[in-house]
Amino acid sequence: MQPAAFVSLLRAEGFDFFTGVPCSLIREVIGELDARGCYIPETREDAALGLAAGAWFGGKQPVVLMQNSGLGVSINALASLHLLYRIPCLLLVTWRGYQGRDAPEHIVMGRACTELLAAIGVPHRAPHTAELPEAVRWAGEQLRREHIPVALLLRKGVVA
């Protein structure tokens, strides 16, 4: 799916606040968000989650973009803020190290990211390109119903 179409899909589902830490796998998505004037960059994923919490309290439906390495940085913020106080947000997590294919520094987190999400109770899916519309709808419905974060794991090439 093209980045502009993916951003339009997210916007159509009601997502209206975007923050996060860059990843080369979604640089075009971040570029599209930035061009539309709706992306706030952060230097740390846990800080982006703090911004997302504030945005949700301000009436927004937030999205946090990060690599799965940033998921490791974010576990405490997710567990002690978003999950504890039932603050929903969509996590768009690039799945670096998927099936052991990537730079060496991504392999361990690539293997562990689904287990980490499951361990803290964050529902997640890893859609293929054709499944993105349904996955975004599922994520929106899930987080509005449960008031918790929901993650979509994006493998290389799913949005390109």
Side-chain angles (χ1 to χ4, degrees):
M1 177 175 288
Q2 293 297 314
F6 183 58
V7 170
S8 294
L9 182 65
L10 292 167
R11 297 298 303 250
E13 187 58 37
F15 296 104
D16 56 1
F17 182 88
F18 300 86
T19 185
V21 177
C23 174
S24 63
L25 297 185
I26 53 170
R27 70 177 161 264
E28 292 88 3
V29 172
I30 292 170
E32 181 66 25
L33 290 167
D34 195 42
R36 294 184 189 200
C38 59
Y39 179 72
I40 300 171
E42 246 313 333
T43 56
R44 289 181 49 103
E45 293 82 1
D46 50 356
L49 284 163
L51 286 177
W56 183 78
F57 283 117
K60 299 289 187 181
Q61 191 167 308
V63 177
V64 177
L65 297 90
M66 67 177 77
Q67 282 188 8
N68 56 344
S69 61
L71 180 60
V73 172
S74 302
I75 293 295
N76 189 53
L78 286 166
S80 63
L81 178 62
H82 284 265
L83 291 163
L84 179 63
Y85 295 106
R86 303 189 70 82
I87 301 169
C89 70
L90 173 59
L91 306 173
L92 290 180
V93 181
T94 57
W95 198 348
R96 303 300 304 258
Y98 174 70
Q99 293 185 332
R101 295 187 308 254
D102 210 327
E105 65 270 17
H106 297 300
I107 302 305
V108 172
M109 285 302 289
R111 195 172 47 241
C113 69
T114 57
E115 295 168 3
L116 286 171
L117 290 166
I120 63 171
V122 173
H124 57 279
R125 289 190 178 177
H128 294 283
T129 302
E131 300 166 331
L132 278 173
E134 193 281 322
V136 170
R137 277 191 298 278
W138 168 82
E141 291 169 2
Q142 184 82 12
L143 67 84
R144 285 189 293 272
R145 183 177 58 249
E146 302 295 328
H147 290 275
I148 59 172
V150 174
L152 293 179
L153 297 169
L154 302 176
R155 292 175 292 242
K156 185 177 184 176
V158 170
V159 179

